[in-house]
Each structure stands twice: as C-alpha cells, then as structure tokens.
C-alpha cells in the first residue's frame, strides 16, 4: 500500500517542510508552525487559542462555507466540470486574507464579500505571503518534473514534494475556519467562500 500511495513518505515530507515533530502532529499544528515561523521573523505574534487545551461546552461556531449541491442520480447530457487551480489558496492570495491584514477603515482596502470586512492593500498578510511561496514552489517543482522520466527516483521525490505543497496550501482555508486554530476567524473563512 505504501509503495502504491506513498502516504508515509508524503507525511514525513510534510513534517520536514513545516518543521514539526511527528509525535504531536495535526494539520492545525502543522499550519500553525508553518505560518508562525514567518510571523516570528516579522515580529508579529498571534494569540494562543486555549480552546485547543480545554474541551468546549459550546457547539462549534457555524459559518457559511462553499456551496455544495447534493447529487441527483441519473444520466445527464451537456455536463461541464470547472476545476479551478488552487481556488481557495488563490482567493486568499489575491484578496490578502489574513488576520494581520484585517482593516477597520474602508479607504484603500479590499472589500470582502462578507459585510463590514476589509483587508489592507498596503501590507501583505503573513498567510497570503506563505501561500504565495507555496504556489510558486509547486509551480517550480512541477516545471522541473516535466523534464524528468516518471520512472526516475528524482521525479518520484519531486512528486511527493509537490503533493505536500498542494495539500498544505489547500489546508490553510480549513484552519481559518477551525475553532481550535489560533488563526480561526469566521470573517476570514467567509471572505473566502462567500
């Protein structure tokens, strides 16, 4: 199974890339460490989310997510599938969605589809910055892979690397909507999906 899917190798690569220890792994902690490494370099400090350590007595906060239709069984003609490349990461990067880029004023800002939420045009947020690094890294790796045989060990290693980068970039949206994350903010999550 590992030879076919490579999940252990992929998970190990994720640990290395985000500099986390395997024994206390979760996607929230992994992204936490990935983003905090850059934030600390810039002197930006995020609050600790103590709900990670204490069981909550309240139900999870709900927010408007992406719209998903329930499938209706049957055969259909003229069906089109639109698969946007890195949709949520691209939205985060384009609209500068990050806790440190949230603004109160409306002048010179990017307006979110969520009422009363604005993001700075002046300073790039840590999360869009890190997503930009991931998107560029994946583009670079995939370009290099095109030059190699799919049977070569280098191609296989690069494929694992690009899958880890893809998974990490796509998981950042989920962390913004996860109540146990220090980056949890319904305004951010809904700014991506509305």
């Amino acid at each position: 199974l590992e030879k076919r899917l490579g999940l252990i190798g992929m998970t190990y690569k994720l640990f290395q890339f985000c500099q986390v220890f395997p024994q206390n792994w979760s996607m929230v902690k992994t992204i936490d460490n990935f983003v905090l490494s850059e934030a600390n370099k810039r002197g930006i400090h995020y609050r600790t989310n103590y709900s990670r350590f204490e069981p909550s007595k309240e139900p999870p906060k709900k927010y408007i997510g992406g719209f998903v239709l329930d499938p209706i069984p049957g055969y259909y003609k003229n069906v089109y599938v639109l698969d946007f490349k890195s949709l949520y990461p691209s939205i985060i990067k384009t609209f500068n969605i990050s806790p440190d880029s949230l603004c109160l004023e409306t002048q010179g800002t990017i307006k979110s589809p969520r009422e009363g939420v604005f993001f700075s045009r002046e300073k790039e947020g840590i999360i869009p910055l890190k997503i930009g690094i991931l998107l560029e890294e994946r583009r670079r790796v995939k370009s290099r892979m095109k030059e190699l045989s799919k049977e070569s060990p280098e191609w296989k290693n690069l494929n694992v690397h690009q899958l880890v980068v893809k998974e990490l970039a796509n998981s950042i949206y989920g962390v913004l909507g996860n109540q146990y994350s220090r980056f949890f903010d319904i305004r951010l999550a809904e700014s991506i999906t509305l």
Side-chain angles (χ1 to χ4, degrees):
L1 190 61
E2 175 59 20
K3 191 173 186 177
R4 174 88 173 112
L5 300 176
L7 295 176
I8 293 171
M10 200 165 114
T11 306
Y12 182 72
K13 186 75 167 175
L14 180 66
F15 297 152
Q16 287 180 314
F17 195 79
C18 296
Q19 302 174 349
V20 294
F21 294 110
Q23 61 266 32
N24 59 6
W25 177 82
S26 77
M27 206 54 170
V28 169
K29 288 180 184 178
T30 301
I31 291 173
D32 207 43
N33 203 58
F34 179 69
V35 174
L36 287 178
S37 64
E38 185 67 32
N40 287 335
K41 290 177 194 170
R42 294 170 169 239
I44 297 172
H45 304 284
Y46 293 101
R47 63 174 173 72
T48 298
N49 185 343
Y50 289 103
S51 66
R52 291 167 67 175
F53 309 109
E54 303 164 359
S56 177
K57 294 178 178 126
E58 298 176 24
K61 294 178 183 172
K62 298 200 182 243
Y63 63 92
I64 300 169
F67 182 71
V68 179
L69 290 170
D70 288 327
I72 301 170
Y75 293 99
Y76 299 92
K77 291 183 179 180
N78 301 321
V79 175
Y80 299 93
V81 175
L82 302 175
D83 184 10
F84 296 94
K85 181 178 170 185
S86 304
L87 179 62
Y88 285 180
S90 296
I91 291 170
I92 293 168
K93 175 83 177 128
T94 301
F95 297 102
N96 199 27
I97 299 172
S98 187
D100 53 304
S101 64
L102 268 171
C103 293
L104 298 176
E105 71 275 353
T106 61
Q107 185 133 1
T109 59
I110 302 166
K111 184 182 182 327
S112 165
R114 188 172 195 265
E115 192 62 38
V117 177
F118 302 90
F119 299 98
S120 172
R121 285 186 192 275
E122 302 300 316
K123 80 170 189 173
E124 184 176 27
I126 298 292
I127 290 175
L129 173 84
K130 294 300 272 189
I131 283 182
I133 291 168
L134 291 172
L135 295 176
E136 177 55 31
E137 175 70 4
R138 186 159 186 246
R139 187 205 58 74
R140 186 190 65 75
V141 168
K142 288 188 80 142
S143 175
R144 174 72 179 119
M145 288 171 65
K146 289 178 184 175
E147 301 168 2
L148 302 169
S149 161
K150 288 186 178 184
E151 303 305 315
S152 73
E154 185 180 0
W155 187 94
K156 290 175 183 176
N157 285 335
L158 288 172
N159 189 46
V160 168
H161 183 74
Q162 70 89 16
L163 287 171
V164 164
V165 170
K166 175 185 179 182
E167 185 69 28
L168 190 56
N170 287 331
S171 297
I172 290 177
Y173 157 71
V175 167
L176 296 175
N178 184 318
Q179 68 179 0
Y180 298 110
S181 167
R182 76 175 68 230
F183 306 112
F184 171 67
D185 191 324
I186 288 174
R187 297 172 300 176
L188 300 177
E190 285 186 346
S191 292
I192 298 163
T193 58
L194 281 178

